[in-house]
Amino acid sequence: MENNNNNNNKENETKPDEEQTQVINPWQVSSKGKIDYDKLIDQFGCQRLDQSFVDRVHRLTNRSPHIFLRRNVFFAHRDFNEILDAYERGEKFYLYTGRGPSSEALHLGHLVPFMFTKYLQDAFKVPLVIQLTDDEKCMWKSLTVEESKRLARENAKDIIACGFDVSRTFIFSDFDYVGGAFYENMVKVAKCVTYNKVVGIFGFTGEDHIGKISFPPVQAVPSFPSSFPHLFSGKDKLRCLIPCAIDQDPYFRMTRDVAPRLGYNKPALIESLFFPALQGETGKMSASDANSAIYVTDTQKAIKEKVNKYAFSGGQDSVENHRKYGANLEVDIPFKYLSFFLEDDEELEHIRKEYGSGRMLTGEVKKRLIDVLTEMVERHRAARAAVTDEMVDAFMAVRPLPN
């Protein structure tokens, strides 16, 4: 368990020496070298997710842990142990995750939290709220309100295509939903957070418009059950688990500081690595650079071209040297992508040994990755094509959830 005194300090400070080598916040992920996740855990004040958690999830759910758990893609947490303790006592919890709709189509990095959240929903059989922060993207990007709302609905189709259970899932757009009890919680949070604290957590400057400074409570309050009276009326002590990439942690450091003062449990988090750009691990896959990302709309030809042309290789500069020294798997992007999406543990281990020793060449690994990604993207595209506007309306309808 966290030491609250130490944790409050860690949760609200950024260390200057780490800031110089890597910048990680909800709007920017960059590093002068490979992202140092150990430093990030120390900087943010969260904990490593070790094998004991994976084993416990397996035992409690009676199903094989997701590959993102088995392979440490979700590698850090805050109070995940308390969620599992509550579940073991027979208490329910709910899931909360989200998407900032800034592009027409999602890329594979965007899919990672949703793929894992679907697994959690299925494994624990719990309700889920998904926030579409169309207001945030309108404020941070050069998007109109109307365009932000349109992108939110388009992104909702990609999210629904991941296979969520409509009887356990409420998807909402901030522009459509914020008001009532949700807005009351936003005001309560806003009164608890000073300007100095929000600047310290998020790094806002005097040049940022006031919309940015006022936004954090909007992302905070879906972790309070009373924000959804149609779902959780009278269940103010219901715990919340948030699966997200670790760059979203600052929002919830703030939330966890405020929650007890407002009578709520601190939200728990389970946090993932960044899905790296094709060019290497100094940043995450970005929707603003088409050549850094594989999109769910990419054709087989486009996937093949991007992987062959842009995927950074840890292989040697000649076949002779490669056979002699093997590949550097620490920097090899094709192998890292396979670690995310190749289901077969034995095949992945075979590639690790053969490629790492030089017996397998980069071209062979890239070909296997192209096959895996093509199958995955085509499966997603078919699922998305089946999502109708009526289905989006059903997921976004303000209604009680039967399950």
Side-chain angles (χ1 to χ4, degrees):
M1 299 234 348
E2 295 166 347
N3 177 304
N4 283 338
N5 292 329
N6 292 338
N7 191 54
N8 284 344
N9 292 334
K10 278 188 173 182
E11 286 189 351
N12 296 310
E13 290 180 0
T14 300
K15 298 178 184 176
D17 59 324
E18 284 155 28
E19 196 170 41
Q20 290 166 9
T21 56
Q22 54 187 31
V23 178
I24 311 292
N25 61 47
W27 313 284
Q28 183 183 359
V29 175
S30 63
S31 174
K32 291 180 180 175
K34 186 179 174 185
I35 291 170
D36 188 331
Y37 288 102
D38 288 327
K39 272 189 176 181
L40 204 53
I41 282 177
D42 181 58
Q43 178 186 342
F44 284 177
C46 44
Q47 291 81 44
R48 270 275 176 195
L49 195 75
D50 61 31
Q51 184 61 38
S52 68
F53 284 94
V54 181
D55 295 340
R56 193 174 180 200
V57 169
H58 191 181
R59 178 172 60 81
L60 290 176
T61 63
N62 291 314
R63 66 168 65 202
S64 177
H66 196 277
I67 57 171
F68 292 166
L69 265 184
R70 299 202 306 268
R71 296 178 189 163
N72 296 314
V73 171
F74 279 79
F75 74 106
H77 77 100
R78 294 184 184 275
D79 290 348
F80 187 43
N81 51 312
E82 294 197 11
I83 290 287
L84 297 180
D85 289 346
Y87 184 79
E88 197 159 16
R89 291 193 300 266
E91 299 172 15
K92 285 287 188 181
F93 62 92
Y94 74 100
L95 295 163
Y96 156 40
T97 194
R99 160 83 185 131
S102 59
S103 59
E104 191 85 33
L106 273 59
H107 60 56
L108 297 186
H110 295 143
L111 284 186
V112 167
F114 293 112
M115 293 168 70
F116 187 63
T117 301
K118 182 200 181 300
Y119 155 78
L120 292 173
Q121 182 185 63
D122 293 344
F124 289 99
K125 298 179 172 58
V126 290
L128 161 68
V129 296
I130 299 175
Q131 181 181 40
L132 300 174
T133 55
D134 41 11
D135 53 343
E136 176 197 24
K137 291 307 173 185
C138 180
M139 288 189 282
W140 261 267
K141 307 279 186 179
S142 55
L143 295 172
T144 63
V145 170
E146 292 73 23
E147 178 66 358
S148 297
K149 291 178 74 170
R150 186 187 73 80
L151 291 176
R153 277 189 71 89
E154 289 303 306
N155 285 188
K157 293 176 183 177
D158 276 312
I159 293 167
I160 292 166
C162 292
F164 291 105
D165 178 353
V166 69
S167 72
R168 287 194 170 96
T169 306
F170 174 51
I171 302 175
F172 66 98
S173 139
D174 285 345
F175 277 132
D176 290 340
Y177 185 72
V178 171
F182 194 99
Y183 184 67
E184 289 173 17
N185 278 338
M186 283 169 49
V187 171
K188 290 176 186 176
V189 170
K191 286 180 70 176
C192 288
V193 182
T194 65
Y195 175 75
N196 284 342
K197 181 168 281 189
V198 86
V199 167
I201 296 172
F202 297 99
F204 295 133
T205 71
E207 301 306 307
D208 284 309
H209 61 69
I210 61 173
K212 292 183 179 182
I213 296 157
S214 66
F215 177 75
V218 186
Q219 190 157 322
V221 302
S223 60
F224 301 159
S226 66
S227 297
F228 306 101
H230 63 289
L231 301 180
F232 308 127
S233 179
K235 298 180 180 176
D236 286 1
K237 292 298 183 182
L238 190 66
R239 292 184 180 276
C240 175
L241 174 64
I242 305 168
C244 61
I246 198 167
D247 59 338
Q248 298 301 302
D249 190 88
Y251 281 118
F252 303 112
R253 297 206 299 280
M254 182 197 77
T255 309
R256 285 168 55 81
D257 185 48
V258 169
R261 287 189 266 166
L262 300 180
Y264 299 111
N265 287 311
K266 292 182 178 185
L269 282 83
I270 182 165
E271 301 176 313
S272 73
L273 308 168
F274 303 118
F275 192 68
L278 283 163
Q279 288 83 353
E281 273 206 291
T282 57
K284 65 177 180 178
M285 189 175 270
S286 170
S288 59
D289 180 0
N291 292 327
S292 80
I294 305 289
Y295 287 87
V296 294
T297 50
D298 280 346
T299 63
Q300 180 177 5
K301 181 183 177 185
I303 292 170
K304 183 177 180 180
E305 287 179 352
K306 285 183 179 181
V307 169
N308 283 331
K309 186 173 182 180
Y310 297 110
F312 187 83
S313 170
Q316 303 299 329
D317 55 2
S318 68
V319 173
E320 182 183 7
N321 281 340
H322 185 80
R323 297 291 191 200
K324 186 175 180 180
Y325 300 112
N328 179 359
L329 301 183
E330 286 296 307
V331 300
D332 190 88
I333 290 297
F335 181 75
K336 287 190 179 296
Y337 281 20
L338 286 172
S339 298
F340 274 79
F341 297 128
L342 180 61
E343 288 278 352
D344 190 324
D345 290 339
E346 290 184 8
E347 184 183 358
L348 186 70
E349 185 58 28
H350 173 77
I351 294 171
R352 181 197 306 277
K353 289 179 180 175
E354 295 298 300
Y355 189 37
S357 67
R359 290 188 293 271
M360 183 179 278
L361 300 176
T362 299
E364 298 173 77
V365 179
K366 285 189 172 183
K367 183 179 184 304
R368 184 68 182 108
L369 176 63
I370 290 162
D371 292 342
V372 168
L373 295 185
T374 299
E375 180 189 353
M376 180 182 162
V377 167
E378 288 182 350
R379 188 170 64 241
H380 181 87
R381 191 157 52 233
R384 198 222 195 255
V387 177
T388 63
D389 283 326
E390 290 74 20
M391 288 171 68
V392 176
D393 292 340
F395 272 91
M396 298 185 76
V398 177
R399 82 279 183 205
L401 296 178
N403 291 322

